[in-house]
């Protein structure tokens, strides 16, 4: 059993309470490798933003659970080296799909876990989430549950259509499960292709696709039922078109990739939404930088020479999200 507190990590309880009260959101950045982790910590340390290091089931398998434990501990020490005296860093399981996986993460030093039973019948979702909560809370690990289904594909998570969260269910769900935060569905989607072209309009000036607005009425309904309760948005990458353009310019084939407009995320961050998940944007920033190096320097084969620029491009992206979208800069305790 590895206790996350011994690794220097924190859970989400206090940072979420402050975010709800302060009208900003905590960044939850997914990572799969060292360069992504370095970029996240560099950005968080420079901006003094609380941050959630988010790991999917697939990323955990890719990185190895033992290495992840030491990477998280190293991230805390790295943040201190960068001048962040008291880092506020969470290691969180994204879209845990079983009690056993969540338990394993708790046992291996995660400070927060998500159990995603949203595809199950309501009563089964409640029972599964409650079981995870009962185990995790023994070790002061916080738990995120989910109501509603997001469309899109990302790692093992896949759904064809949205199922919006029903505000009339949220009080019953949170009361019965004891979860610490709730992921809801209001129109965000997983992956880089969040909307089909026929769902979008076309900007006459740029010719780019404009996605439909998020269902803020659903969010407002949830806030009315659960005032002050921490709400989470998944699938909230904006799919920066400049990164898509760079990828396509240097041999990529990302057609009709479209994300969530940042102005809508800024609006959400000022509400009870206190955690916003961002994964695809980082992947795009990394891929764009790597493709550019390969295209402009075809003789290059030193990984540091293409992963270094990728890391820097991701750092800039994370800084932008923290300062200009989520408003979490200078909010670390």
């Amino acid at each position: 059993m590895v206790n996350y507190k011994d690794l220097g990590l924190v859970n989400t309880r206090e940072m979420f309470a402050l975010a709800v009260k302060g009208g900003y959101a905590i960044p939850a950045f997914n990572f799969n490798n060292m360069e992504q982790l370095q970029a996240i910590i560099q950005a968080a340390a420079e901006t003094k933003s609380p941050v959630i290091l988010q790991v999917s089931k697939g990323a955990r398998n890719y990185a190895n659970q033992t290495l992840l434990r030491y990477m998280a501990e190293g991230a805390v020490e790295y943040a201190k080296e960068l001048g962040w005296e008291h880092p506020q860093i969470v290691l969180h399981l994204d879209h845990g799909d079983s009690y056993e996986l969540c338990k394993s993460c708790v046992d291996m030093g995660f400070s927060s876990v998500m159990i995603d039973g949203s595809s199950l019948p309501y009563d089964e979702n409640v029972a599964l989430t409650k079981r995870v909560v009962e185990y995790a809370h023994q070790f002061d690990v916080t738990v995120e549950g989910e109501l509603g289904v997001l469309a899109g594909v990302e790692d093992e998570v896949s759904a064809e259509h949205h199922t919006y969260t029903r505000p009339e269910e949220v009080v019953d769900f949170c009361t019965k499960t004891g979860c610490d935060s709730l992921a809801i569905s209001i129109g965000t989607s997983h992956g880089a292709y969040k909307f089909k072209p026929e769902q979008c309009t076309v900007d006459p000036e740029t010719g780019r696709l404009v996605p439909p607005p998020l269902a803020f009425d659903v969010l407002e309904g949830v806030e009315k039922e659960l005032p002050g309760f921490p709400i989470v948005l998944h699938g909230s990458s904006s799919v920066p078109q400049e990164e898509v353009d760079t990828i396509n310019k240097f041999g990529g084939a990302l057609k009709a990739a479209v994300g969530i407009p940042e102005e809508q995320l800024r609006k959400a961050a000022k509400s009870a939404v206190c955690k916003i998940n961002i994964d695809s944007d980082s992947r795009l920033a990394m891929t764009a930088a790597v493709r550019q190096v390969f295209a402009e320097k075809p003789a290059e084969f030193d990984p540091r020479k293409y992963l270094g620029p990728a890391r820097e491009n991701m750092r800039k992206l994370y800084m932008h999200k923290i300062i200009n979208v989520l408003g979490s800069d200078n909010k670390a305790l």
Side-chain angles (χ1 to χ4, degrees), residues 130-198:
K130 180 180 179 181
R131 188 182 179 204
V132 171
V133 167
E134 288 174 345
Y135 184 78
H137 280 186
Q138 295 179 72
F139 307 100
D140 201 27
V141 171
T142 41
V143 178
E144 175 185 327
E146 180 167 353
L147 273 177
V149 178
L150 273 68
V153 178
E154 193 162 14
D155 281 4
E156 296 82 7
V157 181
S158 176
E160 186 69 27
H161 301 289
H162 293 293
T163 301
Y164 286 153
T165 301
R166 299 174 61 190
E168 61 269 24
E169 292 180 340
V170 296
V171 172
D172 182 71
F173 182 85
C174 294
T175 301
K176 287 180 177 178
T177 64
C179 64
D180 301 285
S181 60
L182 182 66
I184 65 171
S185 173
I186 63 169
T188 55
S189 299
H190 291 123
Y193 299 92
K194 298 185 183 299
F195 305 97
K196 297 177 181 178
E198 57 266 28

Side-chain angles (χ1 to χ4, degrees), residues 35-228:
E35 286 77 18
Q36 285 180 307
L37 179 61
Q38 288 174 318
I40 293 168
I41 297 304
Q42 288 168 2
E46 188 169 343
T47 59
K48 296 299 185 292
S49 169
V51 70
I52 296 169
L53 302 174
Q54 198 155 259
V55 181
S56 67
K57 177 183 176 180
R60 186 173 185 247
N61 290 338
Y62 178 83
N64 176 266
Q65 63 177 8
T66 303
L67 278 175
L68 270 177
R69 169 241 176 125
Y70 290 101
M71 289 175 78
E73 186 174 19
V76 173
E77 296 306 313
Y78 182 38
K80 292 178 181 177
E81 279 186 24
L82 294 173
W84 193 5
E85 188 176 355
H86 300 292
Q88 299 292 306
I89 300 173
V90 175
L91 181 62
H92 174 76
L93 171 66
D94 187 25
H95 286 289
D97 61 1
S98 69
Y99 169 80
E100 290 75 20
L101 175 59
C102 291
K103 180 181 182 300
S104 176
C105 287
V106 171
D107 293 347
M108 287 297 292
F110 280 61
S111 57
S112 178
V113 295
M114 178 202 185
I115 179 63
D116 181 1
S118 61
S119 63
L120 299 172
Y122 179 79
D123 289 342
E124 292 181 29
N125 187 2
V126 167
L128 176 59
T129 304
K130 180 180 179 181
R131 188 182 179 204
V132 171
V133 167
E134 288 174 345
Y135 184 78
H137 280 186
Q138 295 179 72
F139 307 100
D140 201 27
V141 171
T142 41
V143 178
E144 175 185 327
E146 180 167 353
L147 273 177
V149 178
L150 273 68
V153 178
E154 193 162 14
D155 281 4
E156 296 82 7
V157 181
S158 176
E160 186 69 27
H161 301 289
H162 293 293
T163 301
Y164 286 153
T165 301
R166 299 174 61 190
E168 61 269 24
E169 292 180 340
V170 296
V171 172
D172 182 71
F173 182 85
C174 294
T175 301
K176 287 180 177 178
T177 64
C179 64
D180 301 285
S181 60
L182 182 66
I184 65 171
S185 173
I186 63 169
T188 55
S189 299
H190 291 123
Y193 299 92
K194 298 185 183 299
F195 305 97
K196 297 177 181 178
E198 57 266 28
Q199 295 176 283
C200 304
T201 56
V202 178
D203 186 321
E205 294 185 7
T206 65
R208 296 191 186 279
L209 295 176
V210 179
L214 298 179
F216 281 100
D217 57 326
V218 175
L219 174 58
E220 291 165 3
V222 171
E223 287 181 299
K224 182 178 179 181
E225 295 293 328
L226 286 173

Side-chain angles (χ1 to χ4, degrees), residues 30 152 158 207 294-295 325:
N30 287 69
S158 176
F294 283 166
V325 182

